[in-house]
Amino acid sequence: MPLSMNYSKNKVLTVAAIALLGCGAVWFWQSSPATTSASSKKNPPIKSALVNFNVASTFKGHAKPISAVAIHPDGKTLASASTDNTIKLWNLATGEERYTLRGHQKWINSIAISPDGKTLASASADNTIKLWNLTTGKLTRTLSGHQASVQSVAFSPISGTVASGSWDQSLKLWDVATGKEVRTFSGDCDVVDAIAISPDGTTLASSNYFDNSIKLWDLRTGKQTRGLRGHSEAIHSLAFSPDGKTIASGSWDKTIKIWDLATAKEIHTLTGHENKVESITFSPNGRTLASASWDKTIKIWNVATGIEIQTLKGHNNKIWSIAYSPDGKTLASGSFDQTIKIWRVSQ
């Protein structure tokens, strides 16, 4: 999930101030938790034999907060990004650090691993996306074109492209093989904090910071198809379900919403976090959804019912990012406390 601005009552002034500073401001890293007016009845956690995560290990090595985590498609390697401007690759089973990727000039907001597992993309506040060879750990390309901090990246599962969303109020699509820009999307797009691509590679979803909405785009034409509205504050994470029928959104209004893409209707609003929701991810089978929050917890939800199954506690500061392993038996979480925790399902 991308690293985010301290929430302000006047979004326009906040974004304008960041733009004037060249997106170099770092004051928001130590912002105090904000409160929202959203409230609803909380459902008590329900024990499930299918989900029972516990901390298995803690990885340490970054010098500053962890901004993003991703697990390789082979389930053996973990990637982590930090505000120390580096990316680290770890042996997921042993916690051994394989190598450190250096090249960005400012903090890294988002990382993604290509479906074939060969390439890692990183998005940074230095306005660039970098592509890295995961076999050698070498930088292969730097994608330049955004005029402000790049907040989120996502690989297409089928077309050999990678998408990016930026504070410069644009979405771009890039060819991974050549590094060339394929298109800039045109339409109702403002400051973008989160993006996601559907499993069939046809739809790009992006968050609009100013109006707290989700925009859906046709990846083949670059045209906007529809918008989803319902959150009362900024959306900082988006995730498509594995079957592509629904999309989930995590917001600073402390809620997660699940939407039916066929009808553009809200199915569930998941409530229970006591602070901003920063990252969400579906399990590989689509039955559960994990959410990470500034309240220092991770929650596991039953997607069909919208009811909380489990709350995971272990970090001592805000959690910025979470990722499921391909088999759904492992979760990785990255926190402002500078650690990565590995959670495994107890047998």
Side-chain angles (χ1 to χ4, degrees), residues 107 130 155 215 260:
W107 63 85
K130 291 186 183 294
F155 279 98
K215 303 301 179 185
D260 185 292

Side-chain angles (χ1 to χ4, degrees), residues 154-159 161-163 172-173 182-183 185 196-198 200-205 216-223 225:
F155 279 98
S156 167
I158 60 172
S159 65
T161 56
V162 63
K172 293 181 181 293
L173 189 68
V182 177
R183 70 169 55 89
F185 293 79
I197 295 178
S198 61
D200 64 4
T202 63
T203 303
L204 171 69
L216 301 178
W217 311 78
D218 188 320
L219 264 179
R220 296 160 295 190
T221 65
K223 295 182 178 179
T225 57

Side-chain angles (χ1 to χ4, degrees), residues 245-278:
K245 295 180 179 179
T246 60
I247 187 171
S249 51
S251 169
W252 276 12
D253 65 13
K254 307 178 188 177
T255 73
I256 303 103
K257 292 184 182 290
I258 300 177
W259 310 79
D260 185 292
L261 288 173
T263 63
K265 300 293 185 182
E266 180 185 321
I267 302 172
H268 296 297
T269 295
L270 313 183
T271 60
H273 280 297
E274 297 178 356
N275 210 317
K276 303 171 183 180
V277 178
E278 193 69 27

